[in-house]
Amino acid sequence: MAVDYAVIIIYLAGMLAMGWWGMRRAKSKSEFLVAGRRLGPGMYSGTMAAIVLGGASTIGGVGLGYQYGLSGAWMVFTIGLGLLALSVFFSARIARLKVYTVSEMLDLRYGGRAGIISGVVMWAYTLMLAVTSTIAYATIFDVLFDLNRIVAIVLGGAIVVAYSTLGGMWSITLTDMVQFVVKTIGVLLLLLPIAVIKAGGFSEMKAKLPTEYFDPLGIGGETIFTYVLIYTFGMLIGQDIWQRVFTARSDKVARIGGTVAGTYCLVYAIAGAVIGTAAKVMYPTLPSADSAFATIVKDELPIGVRGLVLAAALAAVMSTSSGALIACATVANNDIWSRLRGAVSRGGGGEEHDEVKGNRVFILVMGIAVIVIAIALNNVVEALTVAYNLLVGGLLVPILGGLLWRRGTAAGALAAVSVGGIAVIGLMAAYGILANEPVYYGLLASLAVYVIVSLATKPTDAAVLAAWRERLAGRGTDVEEPAGEPVTT
């Protein structure tokens, strides 16, 4: 394992080095939080694919393939569909708003009264997303170094917190590009063909497994529908995803680059399911489906390649973890703490260097909190389900309603966030965290109160809507962007 260890150590050292390099570029709030809004299509698509394809998409995607066959691709596939929908229908408008958070968008659309409550819900979502990614370090470092669970979480989490705190979005962007390349080589170009060959090829796989393993809908229609509700719609409204949209240098880059990233996710989904199906042929009685990825990597890959593929798994977890961490810190600082202090800033004012320091402190504090919570929790699936249920049940309707329905009002938005969030929490307590009913009924409750309250209250002020349309068109913004050449790659 010495060669494999060397590959992993070089990779981790490179992540820290890029954090230090990113610190040299992050001299303003815009540079620190959204990479100066200067990413070109190549870098944008790579980093967007990296953040949405995390440990759940890699280790979990292979596990679903092991359990259900090719239909196990649906979870990651719906993530790709959500990213495609965001890129084609909404990303151009989102990029032109020139804001930093989803809650700022809600304030612009509804007149400044929806932000703090939506900020709390979004903060809870991004916090739990960061926690689930951090928990996954325990699995990977256990395979790599046979480390104690707590030590593994602290080690992996500390590296992500370090480079994220140093350089903000610039460091995360640079590390995500490396992680995207490592995942592509490790999973798509190495693990996928090796797994199929080791399993005897597709003809042997079909001969040894039940026919339902090759049924595209074998996982079940209700499960697929739930994935669409949670992951496809979740991609449309998550702060971690929107914050990447804000990094695009133009609305065209956001649309084209996001479409490329979404297509990549669809390919990645199928690859994970095929790898899992191959693992089922080779190891038909594994104690856990989620151990399929680690087992096939440990037992079937040659020295050096094994280290690169494990680095790919580590890259998948780190990209999602760092993206969720900076999103969590941005929401905590800009949407909650600043409002509680009565010092809300729309950009352009104040000391930029002080804002960088403030955001850096919040990343450090949130990072420590994430590590502590990850140590205390054990169930990744439950934590991730809570995060997405809160996001979709509480924020989907007011966000999409604000983008698509002129008659939506601030009162309707606040009611939708409150009722949807409370309904989801109550229904999870009643039906169980992993039940489908909480997101179904919570979303319906949010939609109903949004429409009813909006129609029952005074329409949004014409001046607010006029300013909103100006921002959507890319005009009327007072956000001061730093000078500098766009990143064209």
PDB file of all heavy atoms in Angstrom, residues 301-317:
ATOM      1  N   LEU A 301      -8.155  -3.702  -7.857  1.00  0.00           N
ATOM      2  CA  LEU A 301      -7.338  -2.734  -8.583  1.00  0.00           C
ATOM      3  C   LEU A 301      -5.856  -2.918  -8.282  1.00  0.00           C
ATOM      4  O   LEU A 301      -5.477  -3.252  -7.154  1.00  0.00           O
ATOM      5  CB  LEU A 301      -7.764  -1.309  -8.226  1.00  0.00           C
ATOM      6  CG  LEU A 301      -9.210  -0.927  -8.570  1.00  0.00           C
ATOM      7  CD1 LEU A 301      -9.440   0.552  -8.296  1.00  0.00           C
ATOM      8  CD2 LEU A 301      -9.548  -1.256 -10.017  1.00  0.00           C
ATOM      9  N   PRO A 302      -4.998  -2.674  -9.261  1.00  0.00           N
ATOM     10  CA  PRO A 302      -3.555  -2.786  -9.037  1.00  0.00           C
ATOM     11  C   PRO A 302      -3.014  -1.636  -8.199  1.00  0.00           C
ATOM     12  O   PRO A 302      -3.661  -0.594  -8.034  1.00  0.00           O
ATOM     13  CB  PRO A 302      -2.977  -2.750 -10.461  1.00  0.00           C
ATOM     14  CG  PRO A 302      -3.995  -2.027 -11.273  1.00  0.00           C
ATOM     15  CD  PRO A 302      -5.324  -2.384 -10.675  1.00  0.00           C
ATOM     16  N   ILE A 303      -1.809  -1.819  -7.680  1.00  0.00           N
ATOM     17  CA  ILE A 303      -1.152  -0.792  -6.867  1.00  0.00           C
ATOM     18  C   ILE A 303      -1.010   0.494  -7.683  1.00  0.00           C
ATOM     19  O   ILE A 303      -0.723   0.468  -8.862  1.00  0.00           O
ATOM     20  CB  ILE A 303       0.239  -1.296  -6.425  1.00  0.00           C
ATOM     21  CG1 ILE A 303       0.089  -2.482  -5.469  1.00  0.00           C
ATOM     22  CG2 ILE A 303       1.034  -0.183  -5.741  1.00  0.00           C
ATOM     23  CD1 ILE A 303       1.405  -3.150  -5.118  1.00  0.00           C
ATOM     24  N   GLY A 304      -1.185   1.605  -7.029  1.00  0.00           N
ATOM     25  CA  GLY A 304      -1.102   2.891  -7.704  1.00  0.00           C
ATOM     26  C   GLY A 304      -2.450   3.308  -8.247  1.00  0.00           C
ATOM     27  O   GLY A 304      -2.961   4.387  -7.924  1.00  0.00           O
ATOM     28  N   VAL A 305      -3.062   2.444  -9.065  1.00  0.00           N
ATOM     29  CA  VAL A 305      -4.419   2.705  -9.556  1.00  0.00           C
ATOM     30  C   VAL A 305      -5.389   2.734  -8.386  1.00  0.00           C
ATOM     31  O   VAL A 305      -6.291   3.572  -8.317  1.00  0.00           O
ATOM     32  CB  VAL A 305      -4.838   1.631 -10.584  1.00  0.00           C
ATOM     33  CG1 VAL A 305      -6.309   1.803 -10.973  1.00  0.00           C
ATOM     34  CG2 VAL A 305      -3.956   1.715 -11.809  1.00  0.00           C
ATOM     35  N   ARG A 306      -5.193   1.803  -7.452  1.00  0.00           N
ATOM     36  CA  ARG A 306      -6.039   1.764  -6.259  1.00  0.00           C
ATOM     37  C   ARG A 306      -5.955   3.078  -5.489  1.00  0.00           C
ATOM     38  O   ARG A 306      -6.971   3.641  -5.070  1.00  0.00           O
ATOM     39  CB  ARG A 306      -5.596   0.610  -5.376  1.00  0.00           C
ATOM     40  CG  ARG A 306      -6.375   0.449  -4.083  1.00  0.00           C
ATOM     41  CD  ARG A 306      -5.985  -0.844  -3.398  1.00  0.00           C
ATOM     42  NE  ARG A 306      -4.523  -0.959  -3.278  1.00  0.00           N
ATOM     43  CZ  ARG A 306      -3.883  -2.105  -3.077  1.00  0.00           C
ATOM     44  NH1 ARG A 306      -4.552  -3.232  -2.979  1.00  0.00           N
ATOM     45  NH2 ARG A 306      -2.566  -2.131  -2.964  1.00  0.00           N
ATOM     46  N   GLY A 307      -4.760   3.620  -5.328  1.00  0.00           N
ATOM     47  CA  GLY A 307      -4.607   4.892  -4.634  1.00  0.00           C
ATOM     48  C   GLY A 307      -5.291   6.028  -5.366  1.00  0.00           C
ATOM     49  O   GLY A 307      -5.916   6.895  -4.745  1.00  0.00           O
ATOM     50  N   LEU A 308      -5.219   6.019  -6.706  1.00  0.00           N
ATOM     51  CA  LEU A 308      -5.858   7.082  -7.486  1.00  0.00           C
ATOM     52  C   LEU A 308      -7.370   7.008  -7.378  1.00  0.00           C
ATOM     53  O   LEU A 308      -8.047   8.036  -7.250  1.00  0.00           O
ATOM     54  CB  LEU A 308      -5.426   6.979  -8.948  1.00  0.00           C
ATOM     55  CG  LEU A 308      -5.950   8.079  -9.881  1.00  0.00           C
ATOM     56  CD1 LEU A 308      -5.485   9.450  -9.410  1.00  0.00           C
ATOM     57  CD2 LEU A 308      -5.496   7.822 -11.305  1.00  0.00           C
ATOM     58  N   VAL A 309      -7.929   5.803  -7.407  1.00  0.00           N
ATOM     59  CA  VAL A 309      -9.383   5.661  -7.306  1.00  0.00           C
ATOM     60  C   VAL A 309      -9.873   6.040  -5.911  1.00  0.00           C
ATOM     61  O   VAL A 309     -10.925   6.670  -5.756  1.00  0.00           O
ATOM     62  CB  VAL A 309      -9.815   4.226  -7.674  1.00  0.00           C
ATOM     63  CG1 VAL A 309     -11.302   4.028  -7.418  1.00  0.00           C
ATOM     64  CG2 VAL A 309      -9.511   3.953  -9.143  1.00  0.00           C
ATOM     65  N   LEU A 310      -9.108   5.679  -4.876  1.00  0.00           N
ATOM     66  CA  LEU A 310      -9.487   6.110  -3.535  1.00  0.00           C
ATOM     67  C   LEU A 310      -9.356   7.623  -3.393  1.00  0.00           C
ATOM     68  O   LEU A 310     -10.152   8.272  -2.699  1.00  0.00           O
ATOM     69  CB  LEU A 310      -8.612   5.397  -2.498  1.00  0.00           C
ATOM     70  CG  LEU A 310      -8.937   3.914  -2.282  1.00  0.00           C
ATOM     71  CD1 LEU A 310      -7.903   3.263  -1.380  1.00  0.00           C
ATOM     72  CD2 LEU A 310     -10.332   3.748  -1.694  1.00  0.00           C
ATOM     73  N   ALA A 311      -8.365   8.198  -4.065  1.00  0.00           N
ATOM     74  CA  ALA A 311      -8.267   9.658  -4.103  1.00  0.00           C
ATOM     75  C   ALA A 311      -9.483  10.259  -4.794  1.00  0.00           C
ATOM     76  O   ALA A 311      -9.955  11.336  -4.432  1.00  0.00           O
ATOM     77  CB  ALA A 311      -6.988  10.091  -4.820  1.00  0.00           C
ATOM     78  N   ALA A 312     -10.013   9.549  -5.806  1.00  0.00           N
ATOM     79  CA  ALA A 312     -11.218  10.019  -6.496  1.00  0.00           C
ATOM     80  C   ALA A 312     -12.411  10.036  -5.542  1.00  0.00           C
ATOM     81  O   ALA A 312     -13.221  10.973  -5.545  1.00  0.00           O
ATOM     82  CB  ALA A 312     -11.516   9.117  -7.693  1.00  0.00           C
ATOM     83  N   ALA A 313     -12.527   8.998  -4.710  1.00  0.00           N
ATOM     84  CA  ALA A 313     -13.604   8.979  -3.716  1.00  0.00           C
ATOM     85  C   ALA A 313     -13.431  10.108  -2.715  1.00  0.00           C
ATOM     86  O   ALA A 313     -14.398  10.782  -2.325  1.00  0.00           O
ATOM     87  CB  ALA A 313     -13.631   7.635  -2.994  1.00  0.00           C
ATOM     88  N   LEU A 314     -12.190  10.318  -2.292  1.00  0.00           N
ATOM     89  CA  LEU A 314     -11.907  11.411  -1.373  1.00  0.00           C
ATOM     90  C   LEU A 314     -12.214  12.761  -2.018  1.00  0.00           C
ATOM     91  O   LEU A 314     -12.758  13.667  -1.382  1.00  0.00           O
ATOM     92  CB  LEU A 314     -10.438  11.349  -0.951  1.00  0.00           C
ATOM     93  CG  LEU A 314     -10.003  12.186   0.252  1.00  0.00           C
ATOM     94  CD1 LEU A 314     -10.793  11.818   1.486  1.00  0.00           C
ATOM     95  CD2 LEU A 314      -8.513  12.002   0.503  1.00  0.00           C
ATOM     96  N   ALA A 315     -11.886  12.885  -3.308  1.00  0.00           N
ATOM     97  CA  ALA A 315     -12.169  14.117  -4.042  1.00  0.00           C
ATOM     98  C   ALA A 315     -13.666  14.379  -4.109  1.00  0.00           C
ATOM     99  O   ALA A 315     -14.125  15.519  -3.966  1.00  0.00           O
ATOM    100  CB  ALA A 315     -11.584  14.022  -5.455  1.00  0.00           C
ATOM    101  N   ALA A 316     -14.445  13.319  -4.320  1.00  0.00           N
ATOM    102  CA  ALA A 316     -15.899  13.472  -4.392  1.00  0.00           C
ATOM    103  C   ALA A 316     -16.458  14.021  -3.088  1.00  0.00           C
ATOM    104  O   ALA A 316     -17.307  14.924  -3.079  1.00  0.00           O
ATOM    105  CB  ALA A 316     -16.539  12.122  -4.720  1.00  0.00           C
ATOM    106  N   VAL A 317     -15.972  13.493  -1.986  1.00  0.00           N
ATOM    107  CA  VAL A 317     -16.454  13.951  -0.679  1.00  0.00           C
ATOM    108  C   VAL A 317     -15.991  15.378  -0.401  1.00  0.00           C
ATOM    109  O   VAL A 317     -16.765  16.228   0.056  1.00  0.00           O
ATOM    110  CB  VAL A 317     -15.959  13.003   0.428  1.00  0.00           C
ATOM    111  CG1 VAL A 317     -16.364  13.524   1.801  1.00  0.00           C
ATOM    112  CG2 VAL A 317     -16.522  11.610   0.210  1.00  0.00           C
TER     113      VAL A 317
END
